[in-house]
Amino acid sequence: MTASALPQTDASLVLKPPKLNVVPVRHYGRGVFAVVVGILVFLAIRGLAENPNLEWSIVGEYVFSPAILEGLQSTLLITIVSMVLILIVAIVIAVMRLSKSWVLSGFAAAYSFFFRAVPMIVLLIFVGNLGLFFQNFEFTIPFTEITVFSIPVRDVMTPFWASVIGLTLAGSGYVSELIRAGIISVSNGQWEASSSLGMSRGQTLRLIVLPQAMKVLIPPMGNEFIGLIKAVALVSVIGGGDILTVANAIGANTFRPLEMLMVVAIWYLIVVAVLSVGQHFLERRINKER
């Protein structure tokens, strides 16, 4: 039967669906919770703004002072140098952990366990006071008294490098596990295909596996970077020269420690906000490329 042979339907006989009056579900609990949160935030802001023990004029005076800006620069420099070293060490540890050699794999597992178990502040204090344990960094040819080089520890282990080394040791333990997970997430077919093309395992790792793994790892690595820049504040316990070290020194001299802490908090909010926006756009670009 063709379409033209079908009986025509009278438009007046077609029943129209009744118009429904849709009433959205009312979330009374959600509204009450939002009001409570708003009141608490307002009270917290008013408590800070009207606190007689907090002189906001002093905060405004020091927030752009040269000493604070120099401390901020040191914070950013320590973060960047530490992150680069963390990535290098973490990739080496992750590759060793995946090695078929039980010696390398065992060493890498012990490294990750130790530096994830020991608190970061303990590592920083230990590295910062390394001069109390060793007088010199020296290399002597075994079974002889010939010293190739000898350098006083205190000349090398400055507060800046003590901070970088302490943060690198602590951070590489965590990041190595992230990178190991990223390498495992790449299918074995990539290894087999590269091997069939005559590529060595090193070439496959460097040219095929790691680029794919890093694409997966960039979002969590962004979080690690933000966490690291906040962890830099811990280096103030060894006088690392970061913004908190400078603020504590100014606060001790002016007897205004609370105002200096507010200055540090303001700068950390600004820096982390900028990094969070950058991480957002980076993750969105990666998601488009997948």
Side-chain angles (χ1 to χ4, degrees):
M1 183 181 291
T2 61
S4 60
L6 292 173
Q8 298 295 323
T9 302
D10 190 351
S12 62
L13 298 178
V14 177
L15 295 177
K16 295 182 179 179
K19 187 176 182 180
L20 300 177
N21 186 18
V22 179
V23 179
V25 178
R26 301 182 186 278
H27 300 281
Y28 295 105
R30 188 185 302 173
V32 172
F33 185 70
V35 171
V36 171
V37 171
I39 292 174
L40 292 176
V41 172
F42 171 75
L43 292 176
I45 294 175
R46 194 182 70 172
L48 284 174
E50 298 179 353
N51 194 319
N53 298 319
L54 191 61
E55 292 287 343
W56 285 101
S57 60
I58 297 178
V59 175
E61 178 184 351
Y62 281 98
V63 71
F64 291 110
S65 67
I68 290 294
L69 294 180
E70 187 177 350
L72 177 64
Q73 184 180 357
S74 297
T75 295
L76 297 176
L77 184 61
I78 292 173
T79 304
I80 294 172
V81 175
S82 300
M83 197 66 207
V84 171
L85 294 178
I86 284 173
L87 281 176
I88 295 173
V89 176
I91 289 174
V92 173
I93 294 298
V95 172
M96 291 172 66
R97 183 77 185 276
L98 296 173
S99 172
K100 294 180 181 179
S101 169
W102 66 269
V103 176
L104 298 179
S105 178
F107 173 80
Y111 181 95
S112 297
F113 169 78
F114 181 81
F115 289 112
R116 290 167 65 195
V118 178
M120 185 179 292
I121 193 168
V122 175
L123 277 175
L124 286 169
I125 295 174
F126 180 84
V127 176
N129 295 280
L130 202 61
L132 300 177
F133 297 92
F134 307 101
Q135 298 296 323
N136 299 299
F137 287 130
E138 61 182 20
F139 178 74
T140 304
I141 297 177
F143 309 110
T144 67
E145 295 183 354
I146 302 175
T147 301
V148 179
F149 67 83
S150 178
I151 305 173
V153 173
R154 292 183 179 179
D155 292 349
V156 178
M157 202 58 67
T158 61
F160 174 82
W161 285 111
S163 303
V164 169
I165 293 173
L167 292 172
T168 300
L169 292 174
S172 57
Y174 291 97
V175 176
S176 66
E177 289 299 299
L178 287 178
I179 293 177
R180 185 172 69 91
I183 293 175
I184 293 175
S185 68
V186 180
S187 66
N188 289 328
Q190 301 286 332
W191 292 93
E192 296 170 358
S194 302
S195 178
S196 65
L197 293 174
M199 298 177 68
S200 64
R201 288 187 65 83
Q203 290 176 322
T204 303
L205 179 68
R206 180 166 51 88
L207 301 176
I208 305 296
V209 175
L210 279 181
Q212 296 184 55
M214 292 308 292
K215 189 177 292 186
V216 177
L217 290 172
I218 283 179
M221 292 302 295
N223 291 329
E224 285 292 328
F225 189 77
I226 291 176
L228 177 63
I229 198 169
K230 293 192 297 180
V232 171
L234 293 175
V235 307
S236 62
V237 298
I238 58 173
D242 68 313
I243 187 172
L244 185 57
T245 304
V246 176
N248 285 336
I250 296 175
N253 291 329
T254 59
F255 301 104
R256 289 294 183 180
L258 293 180
E259 286 79 0
M260 292 302 105
L261 289 178
M262 288 303 300
V263 169
V264 174
I266 289 171
W267 275 115
Y268 264 100
L269 286 172
I270 294 173
V271 172
V272 172
V274 171
L275 292 176
S276 299
V277 172
Q279 182 185 2
H280 169 73
F281 284 106
L282 183 61
E283 290 181 5
R284 194 168 70 174
R285 180 173 181 178
I286 291 173
N287 290 331
K288 286 182 180 179
E289 292 177 353
R290 288 178 181 173

